[in-house]
């Protein structure tokens, strides 16, 4: 990977931190100071043990968490740890999700396993961060029953990870630092990307929507947008470093920029991003239907760089349920929006999220959901069983739907969604598409796996040296959720 000027400056700043004076109060200089301190501790420990210290970051949940984990790993590497694939490491951190109850249960289960590793390795440290830590009951439970955890912090102070890491290294007690909210956005911290050729880019943090089932606004705080210049600077820096595709990340990207001193729309931000030379693809996640503007549809139609994929969470097809969910659109408005999008960008893939079994959902309501699914014909849909999240308005609602009824609806929905996805995928069979080659295929020798602009996956025979390149591929056969294809010549072959 290239080393860019920004990286060099950051390394110099970290090297240059003066540990003989108290830590600066200004960010990110304060974190650079603690990084140097953490690195000194790591070096001493390595000397003592006669081996390098290893680390592992485990991510639960969404793309935002995946991006946060790259930042955690960036700090850990800068602090002198070596990454390992195994959780039997000297430092393991779980970046948690709490959007549904089973995400929490998985963390508790796996912590038991980590405890076993820690008993074998007395130098091991265990840390927890992310959305689940923003729930007071969770932290209480951890304090009481999981006292072997060394460090706990939440979503708002993740930028302080270097400081917390240094504190943890120097202490034998559990360090717990949870903030209720923040308006701070700290830029220019180290990041270790998973893929050299693609990257997430946060454009905003938090969520103001308060859908009645959702815990995210409580754990991720109020909506804050990054300044467009900071976002564009980061993208240019990534492109200089070999990135071809970025995914702009926010809980509700369509309300980007509304609260900036100089407001800017998401469509406006995209117009600036597409101008960046060398950047070949732009994706984004997630769009709230109520805020999706015609201007955004126009930008998508105008620019080839913007990927032919839109994730547009429906949640329910019943206007009655949508109202109780506080989604602020009706079934008819959603359908009209989907139609406008398909008309403007015919080759777009539309995907969605649907919740089954929201309190009070009747068979009629569920039929409305099935009706939307049949009319929109999603390219794929994530279906979820409603999960009661303490503190949300829906958790206090009566008439929660019985488990067996929910399960039956879920199965019927899944069947419908899968049949439609398969049919939709067929429409691209035989076409030639530009594909970003992402990895070596683990099942088939000599094959690689790539992603189409519309987010579909294709496997085809090609040398590994093409990883990170955009090439043209003919989609020979659709196998439900993926294609088998053949490599055509250069990226500019006419389609
Ligand atoms: N129960 C089930 N699914 C949920 N989601 C959010 N909150 C809940 C909940 N309480 C789903 C929504 C959202 C996706 C990220 O998770 O469909 O779009
Ligand atoms: Fe999970 Fe939502 Fe937090 Fe993402 S934002 S990690 S999906 S709770």
């Amino acid at each position: 990977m290239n080393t860019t000027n920004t990286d060099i400056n950051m390394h110099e700043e970290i090297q240059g931190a003066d540990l003989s004076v108290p830590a600066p109060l200004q960010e990110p200089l304060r974190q650079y100071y603690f990084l140097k301190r953490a690195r000194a501790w790591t070096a001493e420990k390595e000397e003592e043990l006669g081996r390098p210290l290893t680390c592992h970051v485990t991510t639960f949940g969404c793309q935002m968490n995946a991006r946060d984990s790259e930042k955690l790993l960036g700090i850990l590497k800068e602090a002198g740890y070596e990454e390992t694939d195994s959780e039997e490491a000297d430092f393991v951190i779980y970046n948690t999700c709490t959007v549904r109850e089973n995400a929490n249960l998985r963390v508790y289960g796996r912590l038991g396993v980590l405890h076993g590793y820690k008993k074998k390795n007395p130098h091991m440290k265990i840390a927890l961060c992310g959305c689940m830590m923003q729930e007071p009951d969770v932290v209480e439970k951890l304090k009481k029953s999981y006292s072997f955890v060394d460090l706990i912090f939440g979503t708002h102070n993740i930028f302080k990870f270097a400081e917390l890491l240094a504190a943890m290294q120097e202490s034998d007690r559990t360090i717990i630092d949870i903030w209720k909210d923040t308006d701070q956005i700290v830029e220019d911290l180290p990041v270790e990307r998973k893929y050299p050729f693609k990257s997430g880019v946060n454009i905003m943090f938090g969520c103001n929507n308060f859908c009645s089932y959702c815990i995210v606004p409580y754990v991720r705080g109020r909506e804050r947008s990054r300044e467009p210049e900071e976002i564009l600077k980061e993208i240019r820096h990534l492109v200089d470093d070999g990135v071809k595709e970025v995914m702009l990340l926010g809980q509700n990207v369509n309300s980007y920029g509304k609260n900036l001193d100089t407001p800017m729309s998401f469509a406006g931000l995209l117009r600036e991003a597409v101008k960046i030379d060398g950047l070949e693809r732009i994706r984004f996640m997630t769009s709230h239907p109520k805020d999706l503007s015609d201007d955004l549809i126009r930008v998508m139609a105008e620019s080839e760089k913007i990927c032919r994929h839109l994730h547009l969470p429906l949640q329910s097809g019943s206007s009655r349920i949508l109202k109780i969910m506080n989604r602020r659109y009706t079934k008819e408005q959603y359908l009209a929006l989907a139609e406008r999008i398909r008309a403007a960008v015919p080759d777009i893939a539309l995907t969605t999220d649907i919740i089954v079994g929201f309190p009070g959902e009747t068979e009629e309501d569920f039929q409305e959901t099935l009706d939307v699914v049949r009319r929109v014909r999603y390219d794929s849909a994530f279906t979820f069983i409603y999960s009661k999240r303490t503190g949300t308005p829906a958790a206090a609602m009566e008439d929660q739907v019985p488990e067996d009824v929910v399960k039956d609806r879920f199965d019927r929905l899944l069947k419908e969604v899968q049949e439609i996805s398969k049919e939709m995928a067929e429409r691209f069979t035989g076409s030639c598409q530009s594909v970003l080659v992402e990895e070596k295929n683990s099942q088939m020798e000599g094959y690689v796996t790539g992603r189409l602009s519309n987010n579909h996956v294709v496997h085809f025979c090609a040398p590994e040296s093409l990883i990170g390149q955009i090439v043209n591929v003919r989609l020979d056969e659709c196998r439900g959720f993926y294609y088998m294809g053949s490599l055509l010549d250069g990226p500019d072959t006419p389609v």
Side-chain angles (χ1 to χ4, degrees):
M1 215 178 291
N2 301 332
T3 309
T4 59
N5 284 340
T6 324
D7 293 333
I8 293 167
N9 292 346
M10 195 191 305
H11 290 301
E12 280 175 0
E13 297 254 21
I14 295 168
Q15 282 298 343
D18 181 359
L19 298 186
S20 66
V21 297
L25 295 176
Q26 195 195 343
E27 298 292 2
L29 294 180
R30 185 174 172 85
Q31 298 314 309
Y32 296 167
Y33 173 99
F34 283 108
L35 259 177
K36 188 168 176 188
R37 197 149 128 182
R39 196 191 284 172
W41 185 93
T42 312
E44 206 172 292
K45 197 80 184 167
E46 268 185 30
E47 183 84 26
E48 179 192 323
L49 300 178
R51 61 170 178 84
L53 291 189
T54 54
C55 71
H56 185 84
V57 182
T58 302
T59 311
F60 298 83
C62 63
Q63 302 276 354
M64 297 264 206
N65 265 18
R67 181 63 178 158
D68 282 346
S69 289
E70 293 184 344
K71 297 178 184 176
L72 296 169
L73 188 61
I75 299 277
L76 285 166
K77 287 205 154 175
E78 199 66 51
Y81 288 87
E82 270 181 18
E83 187 188 9
T84 159
D85 285 344
S86 153
E87 289 190 351
E88 276 184 273
D90 296 302
F91 181 85
V92 174
I93 183 161
Y94 280 0
N95 188 7
T96 63
C97 171
T98 187
V99 78
R100 286 170 291 275
E101 175 73 21
N102 51 9
N104 293 33
L105 298 177
R106 274 173 64 208
V107 167
Y108 291 125
R110 288 179 60 164
L111 271 178
V113 178
L114 282 193
H115 195 195
Y117 296 155
K118 188 166 176 166
K119 284 180 188 152
K120 284 196 281 175
N121 173 7
H123 305 286
M124 184 178 182
K125 299 271 189 189
I126 299 173
L128 297 171
C129 69
C131 294
M132 189 176 155
M133 301 306 122
Q134 291 298 138
E135 289 185 274
D137 290 355
V138 167
V139 177
E140 276 316 304
K141 179 166 171 166
L142 290 168
K143 277 205 258 187
K144 220 167 115 205
S145 312
Y146 297 80
S147 56
F148 58 88
V149 175
D150 301 281
L151 170 62
I152 299 174
F153 59 99
T155 55
H156 304 302
N157 54 349
I158 187 166
F159 71 85
K160 267 184 73 181
F161 178 46
E163 181 170 352
L164 294 166
L165 180 69
M168 180 209 73
Q169 288 176 328
E170 293 162 14
S171 162
D172 290 330
R173 311 232 322 258
T174 306
I175 309 274
I176 303 179
D177 191 12
I178 311 284
W179 294 7
K180 278 212 158 60
D181 211 340
T182 186
D183 53 9
Q184 272 194 90
I185 298 179
V186 179
E187 307 281 353
D188 299 326
L189 290 168
V191 186
E192 180 71 25
R193 289 201 310 279
K194 189 169 171 198
Y195 298 95
F197 50 85
K198 68 172 187 177
S199 178
V201 173
N202 298 104
I203 64 165
M204 59 204 297
F205 303 94
C207 179
N208 283 354
N209 287 315
F210 290 97
C211 301
S212 62
Y213 52 82
C214 188
I215 200 166
V216 170
Y218 306 89
V219 296
R220 286 267 177 185
R222 295 295 62 74
E223 206 170 276
R224 305 172 303 284
S225 295
R226 285 176 75 196
E227 288 295 337
E229 302 80 62
E230 291 291 346
I231 296 168
L232 297 167
K233 187 177 92 181
E234 180 177 345
I235 300 176
R236 277 188 216 106
H237 172 206
L238 288 166
V239 170
D240 286 347
D241 198 30
V243 164
K244 296 210 161 73
E245 177 182 302
V246 292
M247 161 93 86
L248 306 181
L249 297 170
Q251 299 297 348
N252 177 12
V253 292
N254 297 320
S255 72
Y256 170 78
K258 286 187 179 148
N259 300 322
L260 289 170
D261 291 341
T262 314
M264 181 182 227
S265 68
F266 180 55
L269 179 70
L270 281 176
R271 282 204 174 88
E272 291 306 312
V274 298
K275 289 183 199 153
I276 296 177
D277 272 343
L279 177 64
E280 305 209 29
R281 283 179 165 189
I282 305 173
R283 301 184 182 280
F284 53 86
M285 188 82 103
T286 287
S287 284
H288 194 306
K290 81 175 162 61
D291 296 311
L292 199 145
S293 68
D294 284 341
D295 198 24
L296 175 64
I297 301 177
R298 214 169 299 129
V299 188
M300 290 189 81
E302 278 164 11
S303 174
E304 281 289 318
K305 278 194 186 178
I306 303 177
C307 287
R308 276 16 199 167
H309 174 214
L310 190 68
H311 187 67
L312 196 62
L314 167 70
Q315 313 301 3
S316 168
S318 153
S319 295
R320 189 184 76 84
I321 293 289
L322 285 169
K323 191 158 194 330
I324 312 173
M325 284 179 162
N326 193 29
R327 292 290 288 175
R328 287 173 278 172
Y329 54 84
T330 62
K331 173 187 179 186
E332 289 67 32
Q333 285 167 332
Y334 185 97
L335 285 171
L337 176 63
E339 227 166 82
R340 286 204 298 283
I341 297 165
R342 285 233 198 261
V345 196
D347 56 345
I348 202 160
L350 281 179
T351 61
T352 200
D353 292 339
I354 300 171
I355 299 176
V356 178
F358 182 82
E361 184 190 71
T362 63
E363 178 61 25
E364 287 72 44
D365 294 317
F366 177 65
Q367 287 298 331
E368 298 277 352
T369 300
L370 284 181
D371 187 42
V372 177
V373 167
R374 288 178 191 131
R375 291 214 220 171
V376 175
R377 298 184 60 75
Y378 293 105
D379 291 79
S380 77
F382 297 99
T383 50
F384 304 108
I385 285 182
Y386 167 73
S387 168
K388 193 168 169 177
R389 306 312 291 123
T390 310
T392 61
M397 288 177 193
E398 282 160 19
D399 54 3
Q400 305 272 334
V401 185
E403 222 172 279
D404 55 332
V405 175
V406 180
K407 184 75 184 59
D408 174 60
R409 285 182 196 159
F410 182 83
D411 291 345
R412 282 188 283 154
L413 175 66
L414 193 63
K415 192 162 166 277
E416 192 79 38
V417 155
Q418 287 181 342
E419 275 168 19
I420 294 174
S421 308
K422 236 170 128 180
E423 287 167 19
M424 290 301 280
E426 277 293 359
R427 77 193 149 131
F428 297 112
T429 308
S431 70
C432 300
Q433 304 269 344
S434 77
V435 168
L436 175 57
V437 187
E438 296 197 336
E439 56 205 3
K440 190 171 157 260
N441 192 297
S442 53
Q443 315 280 318
M444 286 174 288
E445 195 55 35
Y447 278 68
V448 294
T449 300
R451 204 171 284 273
L452 279 56
S453 166
N454 68 15
N455 212 34
H456 275 290
V457 164
V458 59
H459 307 296
F460 56 102
C461 187
E464 262 176 69
S465 58
L466 287 183
I467 291 174
Q469 304 289 319
I470 294 186
V471 295
N472 279 333
V473 174
R474 191 182 47 239
L475 307 181
D476 299 322
E477 189 193 343
C478 174
R479 295 201 183 154
F481 304 106
Y482 63 90
Y483 298 95
M484 296 307 297
S486 27
L487 178 67
L488 302 170
D489 31 10
D492 296 313
T493 315
V495 174

